[in-house]
Amino acid sequence: MEHALSPATLSELRRPRAYPAVSVLTPTHRREPENAQDPVRLRNVVAEAKKQLEADPAVPRERRADVVRQLDLALADVDLAHAEDGLVIFAAPGEHQVWSLSRAVPERVVLSDTFLTRNLVSAQASERPFWVLSVSADRATLWNGGVDRVTEHRAGGFPLTRTRENFDAERLERIGDMPSTFRDEDTRHFLRDADTALAKLLREEPRPLYITGETAALSALDDVGSVTKDAVHVPHGGLAHGTPDAVWHAVRPLVAAEARKSTDAVTLELEAARGRRAFAAGVDEIWQSAREGRLRLLAVEENYRVTVRDGGGDHLIPAESGDLDAREDIVDEIVEQCLETGADVRFVPDGTLGGSDGIAGVLRY
């Protein structure tokens, strides 16, 4: 199952497909007893997708059979033992993907000529993604970080490894020779290569960056690198060969501290916007401002959800989940629209926005 949504991946997912491109969304659960319902619910929503395919006269028989087979393959790829809060299946002629999300999604089936991506975009934004680079004298490992975990990123040249005759980093650590190892020109060249590879990735996917390693390694990387100079340094050795859990344990306090600082900054910015009449709040006002591209900053409480429907004009009105014309993922629509227009989107802890009904923003004009 996929977790990390890069700009290149998102662009590929948004590419038009031969009809039908099928999007299947269903909520999932991380823990018992709620997760007991997930297998049945997943089978039922996939069955509904097949039913819609069967009933659609615009889908030729051979193409229908292909997409049904892709749905079955996707279903086999699902690992509910590692489920999060939402699951998205994409299936089209000749392809399928399964995405596990850390943000709940409404249960739905959509047949179109593109995949439904807004829930992925919103989930990615809510995760506050970051990178962790772990360096040693013989290995540089890159980790993809999210709200509650890190996973190894195996692309863009990572992990970088170095072999050298008679090179034994563990022995050098034991005899206390590690500082001189990081003054060695070959080692510094290796670290420079890691910095170069990371710089390319950051141009494509800019995120906050944490770097772990021995103090001598971090100092050497500062000397030879460029993009790593602005990173948060975590003096902790051994993680280039470590486990995701060990890396997460090392960076978690710093990630939490940065999240608190970010929330405080958002609160101050919203208060300042009130004073200069550039403040917007409530799903209806935010939705209108997002469509007009007027939002510079969008703040959303992490678990804020609201179901609405069009009120026959330019306004939204509350609706019940399951209503025929209900829009159960309107918040995700707003998040995607804001990101499309270059707004800064921040997810904040529940209760942060006080009387703003869970969603607020700063206007450009």
Side-chain angles (χ1 to χ4, degrees), residues 137-138 164-175 178 181:
D138 63 336
R164 191 177 75 185
E165 189 177 354
N166 299 323
F167 179 77
D168 186 345
E170 290 187 3
R171 182 186 65 81
L172 291 171
E173 272 191 82
R174 288 196 302 272
I175 66 175
M178 190 57 77
T181 298

Side-chain angles (χ1 to χ4, degrees), residues 65-89:
D66 186 355
V67 177
V68 166
R69 186 172 68 87
Q70 296 298 330
L71 284 170
D72 288 336
L73 291 171
L75 195 58
D77 287 344
V78 174
D79 181 6
L80 289 176
H82 296 93
E84 297 175 274
D85 302 306
L87 190 73
V88 177
I89 292 175

Side-chain angles (χ1 to χ4, degrees), residues 126-204:
S126 70
E127 278 217 332
R128 299 184 293 271
F130 57 90
W131 295 116
V132 181
L133 177 68
S134 297
V135 294
S136 68
D138 63 336
R139 185 178 176 89
T141 306
L142 189 65
W143 309 91
N144 175 43
V147 70
D148 60 358
R149 66 172 184 270
V150 300
T151 56
E152 187 175 352
H153 180 83
R154 288 183 167 268
F158 289 99
L160 272 70
T161 58
R162 170 185 174 222
T163 59
R164 191 177 75 185
E165 189 177 354
N166 299 323
F167 179 77
D168 186 345
E170 290 187 3
R171 182 186 65 81
L172 291 171
E173 272 191 82
R174 288 196 302 272
I175 66 175
D177 196 36
M178 190 57 77
S180 64
T181 298
F182 287 104
R183 288 195 296 269
D184 174 77
E185 189 55 38
D186 287 344
T187 304
R188 294 168 73 84
H189 182 78
F190 171 72
L191 294 177
R192 192 177 295 112
D193 287 345
D195 181 87
T196 300
L198 185 60
K200 183 176 186 298
L201 181 67
L202 287 173
R203 286 194 296 271
E204 298 169 355

Side-chain angles (χ1 to χ4, degrees), residues 46-60:
V46 171
E48 173 61 26
K50 293 178 180 179
K51 181 179 177 181
Q52 290 190 28
L53 284 168
E54 187 67 32
D56 191 336
V59 183

Side-chain angles (χ1 to χ4, degrees), residues 103 300-306 347-350:
R103 184 170 169 84
V300 185
E301 292 185 354
E302 288 168 349
N303 292 300
Y304 177 63
R305 295 286 190 284
V306 61
F347 283 80
V348 297
D350 294 347

Side-chain angles (χ1 to χ4, degrees), residues 15-87:
R15 175 177 57 81
R17 262 80 177 170
Y19 186 85
V22 181
S23 302
V24 178
L25 290 73
T26 184
T28 52
H29 303 83
R30 298 172 185 248
R31 299 176 182 86
E32 298 178 342
E34 292 85 0
N35 60 7
Q37 65 183 281
D38 292 349
V40 174
R41 194 166 186 172
L42 176 59
R43 287 196 299 270
N44 286 345
V45 73
V46 171
E48 173 61 26
K50 293 178 180 179
K51 181 179 177 181
Q52 290 190 28
L53 284 168
E54 187 67 32
D56 191 336
V59 183
R61 179 182 299 177
E62 288 186 6
R63 192 174 298 170
R64 180 186 306 120
D66 186 355
V67 177
V68 166
R69 186 172 68 87
Q70 296 298 330
L71 284 170
D72 288 336
L73 291 171
L75 195 58
D77 287 344
V78 174
D79 181 6
L80 289 176
H82 296 93
E84 297 175 274
D85 302 306
L87 190 73

